[in-house]
Amino acid sequence: MADGIEKLIRPHLAGFSGYSASTSPDTLEGKVDVPLDSLVKMNANENPYGCSPRVLKALAACRTFNIYPDDGQQELRKLLADYAGMPAECIVAGHGSNTIIDSIVRLFVGPDDEVINSVPTFDIYRFCTEICGGKVVNVNRDDSFGANVKGIKSAISPRTKLIFLATPNNPTGNVMPPKNIVEIIKTGLPVVVDEAYYEFSGETVMPLIAKYRNLMVLRSFSKWAGLAGLRIGYGVFPPRVAPYLMAIKIPHNVSVAAEIAVHESLADIDYLQSRVDALIKERSRLFRELQQISWLKPYPSQANFIYCAVLKGSAAELHLNLQKKGVLVRYFDNPLLKNSIRISVGKPEHTDVVMKALREL
Ligand SMILES: Cc1ncc(COP(=O)(O)O)c(C=O)c1O
């Protein structure tokens, strides 16, 4: 019998460790002291208010799930264009903004090409780059997690194909000042500014796409519109780049359900904005409450989560102890994110549960 097919796997992927996603409640049966349906899930920056009720109604009424969606995304791109204030031909939508990141990397990065990453940051940039055989060039952020603009510029080499900047950054929650972003854009290299949390920060460099032909901006419906499970995100690109991304994307990469969800969400923007406003208000309260815990150091955030250094004891243990009490948070313990946790902002009652659990520990 011939050897297994694994030996034909591309060598750089044979030892690939993948991406470590947040814990799903379904996997916690028997591991927590509370019923699974009463878990307070603050580990994946989801929107606790859910999506617009209009989305639920329209999906229940839809009778065309047997028909493929429009591969050219014509209507969808128009809707997104109105929302983003950019021309429809600059927009490409996907099954979550993660898949747009994947397309961008596949478009620009080949084996041994370099991608500059401002770390610590969202790990998908590394993940997609490594899958393509590219090399991630990490430039460390400063002590307050500000991006090191000088360091990024001096990391540029003839092999640099992309620079990723997340603002607000995940998991640290801080925004990057627009003048620093512009300084990096002025290098002329393709720059991706990931604004997945834009609706919580109100800061965007989107209008600069008209001026700089190397700027790409990513957005998501997962967070502000409560559609993480439905999967819909988009990117806005210079007019000459968008057609390439449309050409290489997987056909029908946005479902009929997601098209409907965008339509209904944008028709219910005041409702969704009121939920975003509530989360922004709760972010301030959660931050103030976390500051009262002597062994936590929360960092100011413009996103829907708060990153905290754990000053006493182990973050891994804290995460497990909170999990036992039914509170899910994300924890980190690596050289760039030492002994720390990230807590998503929830409803006021979620803050109450988290704070009670933290005080009892
Ligand atoms: C910075 C950043 N970009 C992109 C994404 C991916 O969002 P989506 O759900 O649209 O794939 C996330 C999700 O956590 C994120 O934190």
Side-chain angles (χ1 to χ4, degrees):
M1 182 127 74
D3 277 346
I5 57 170
E6 314 87 81
K7 67 179 190 309
L8 298 180
I9 287 172
R10 293 155 70 200
H12 77 285
L13 293 181
F16 188 59
S17 59
Y19 174 80
S20 135
S22 58
T23 309
S24 168
D26 308 348
T27 62
L28 293 176
E29 190 75 65
K31 293 188 191 160
V32 290
D33 295 341
V34 298
L36 289 191
D37 59 4
S38 65
L39 284 175
V40 174
K41 190 171 182 315
M42 306 183 92
N43 62 346
N45 309 335
E46 292 142 335
N47 189 328
Y49 291 103
C51 63
S52 152
R54 284 186 62 136
V55 171
L56 300 177
K57 208 167 148 208
L59 290 179
C62 177
R63 295 291 173 270
T64 55
F65 289 136
N66 57 322
I67 306 295
Y68 281 110
D70 166 27
D71 186 47
Q73 307 178 345
Q74 222 170 320
E75 285 307 308
L76 181 63
R77 293 167 90 196
K78 269 195 221 145
L79 287 170
L80 294 170
D82 280 350
Y83 177 64
M86 298 297 290
E89 58 273 19
C90 295
I91 293 179
V92 180
H95 180 79
S97 61
N98 278 340
T99 65
I100 305 286
I101 295 168
D102 185 53
S103 289
I104 296 170
V105 176
R106 283 191 292 127
L107 187 63
F108 287 98
V109 180
D112 300 326
D113 284 339
E114 293 177 2
V115 172
I116 297 181
N117 211 13
S118 179
V119 288
T121 192
F122 189 43
D123 196 38
I124 294 285
Y125 316 135
R126 171 203 62 83
F127 170 85
C128 294
T129 302
E130 290 183 355
I131 290 175
C132 285
K135 189 175 152 221
V136 182
V137 177
N138 285 330
V139 177
N140 289 359
R141 289 169 179 264
D142 63 23
D143 289 346
S144 332
F145 301 114
N148 175 355
V149 176
K150 227 170 125 194
I152 290 173
K153 285 167 76 176
S154 54
I156 292 171
S157 86
R159 295 230 65 140
T160 307
K161 291 295 181 68
L162 279 175
I163 302 174
F164 276 104
L165 305 170
T167 182
N169 186 43
N170 181 5
T172 56
N174 56 312
V175 290
M176 185 163 173
K179 73 169 189 354
N180 291 0
I181 299 178
V182 169
E183 197 175 333
I184 292 176
I185 295 170
K186 283 188 172 161
T187 61
L189 284 161
V191 175
V192 179
V193 177
D194 185 343
E195 296 184 351
Y197 301 95
Y198 154 68
E199 283 78 2
F200 299 98
S201 75
E203 286 191 24
T204 180
V205 291
M206 187 79 85
L208 296 181
I209 292 177
K211 184 165 176 199
Y212 296 104
R213 284 176 295 173
N214 56 327
L215 172 62
M216 303 173 261
V217 175
L218 304 181
R219 298 269 186 89
S220 174
F221 273 64
S222 294
K223 321 291 177 179
W224 73 280
L227 290 171
L230 202 73
R231 313 301 299 129
I232 176 78
Y234 61 101
V236 184
F237 301 92
R240 289 177 64 173
V241 175
Y244 290 100
L245 287 158
M246 286 301 286
I248 69 161
K249 74 175 183 54
I250 297 290
H252 309 298
N253 67 329
V254 175
S255 69
V256 168
E259 282 178 352
I260 293 172
V262 168
H263 185 270
E264 297 303 316
S265 298
L266 295 180
D268 207 7
I269 205 113
D270 290 346
Y271 169 86
L272 289 172
Q273 187 58 48
S274 71
R275 298 323 204 193
V276 168
D277 293 344
L279 288 166
I280 291 173
K281 192 163 161 227
E282 197 56 23
R283 177 176 73 199
S284 303
R285 179 182 159 229
L286 178 62
F287 184 77
R288 284 195 308 273
E289 296 264 355
L290 290 168
Q291 280 182 311
Q292 305 301 314
I293 307 279
S294 63
W295 44 272
L296 282 181
K297 180 185 174 197
Y299 284 76
S301 169
Q302 300 298 307
N304 66 340
F305 53 82
I306 295 178
Y307 176 78
C308 303
V310 178
L311 305 177
K312 208 175 80 197
S314 129
E317 260 171 50
L318 172 61
H319 154 262
L320 277 180
N321 289 335
L322 287 173
Q323 182 172 293
K324 257 195 143 333
K325 288 172 177 286
V327 176
L328 308 187
V329 299
R330 192 90 195 233
Y331 88 93
F332 307 93
D333 199 8
N334 60 57
L336 294 174
L337 293 167
K338 289 194 194 93
N339 209 42
S340 50
I341 57 171
R342 188 195 65 197
I343 309 179
S344 305
V345 179
K347 297 179 182 177
E349 56 266 40
H350 298 145
T351 303
D352 295 342
V353 173
V354 174
M355 293 315 301
K356 181 166 180 286
L358 284 170
R359 288 196 177 103
E360 280 168 6
L361 289 174

